[in-house]
Amino acid sequence: GVSQQLVERLKAVASKVKAGDPDTTDAKIGCVFSAASAANIVSMVQEAVNDGAELILGDLKANGAFVQPHIVLGAKPGQRMWDRESFGPGKSEW
């Protein structure tokens, strides 16, 4: 009964957090390992959405090694997003 409220609150918080260079912008999330890592993350999200998951937040884009926050609802076992690590460590201030 409270799941929709939780999703909306997560979306409200995550939508305020931006990825970028924390040393030169007000971004709170830095880059992932590489542009290829960022493209892989976006690919995982896109595959899950194509397979029925719901994209709650995100633009399904990578900008070099930066990926803005995404929230996906309904990912399931068998999807890469469920079965594999979908982040690449980088500098984070959040």
Side-chain angles (χ1 to χ4, degrees):
V2 299
S3 65
Q4 189 59 38
Q5 289 176 329
L6 175 61
V7 168
E8 290 303 317
R9 288 185 181 179
L10 288 171
K11 182 178 176 182
V13 170
S15 67
K16 295 177 186 173
V17 179
K18 301 299 177 201
D21 184 349
D23 293 332
T24 60
T25 69
D26 62 350
K28 299 296 183 192
I29 301 173
C31 63
V32 295
F33 286 125
S34 65
S37 294
N40 184 55
I41 292 166
V42 172
S43 174
M44 286 181 170
V45 175
Q46 184 66 64
E47 287 173 11
V49 170
N50 290 347
D51 196 29
E54 180 182 359
L55 182 64
I56 303 296
L57 177 72
D59 58 6
L60 293 171
K61 296 179 184 174
N63 182 11
F66 296 98
V67 178
Q68 297 304 322
H70 285 70
I71 299 175
V72 176
L73 188 62
K76 55 191 174 204
Q79 295 173 338
R80 284 191 313 141
M81 178 163 216
W82 179 281
D83 294 339
R84 296 189 183 173
E85 181 178 300
S86 62
F87 68 92
K91 183 175 181 181
S92 178
E93 302 292 327
W94 189 31

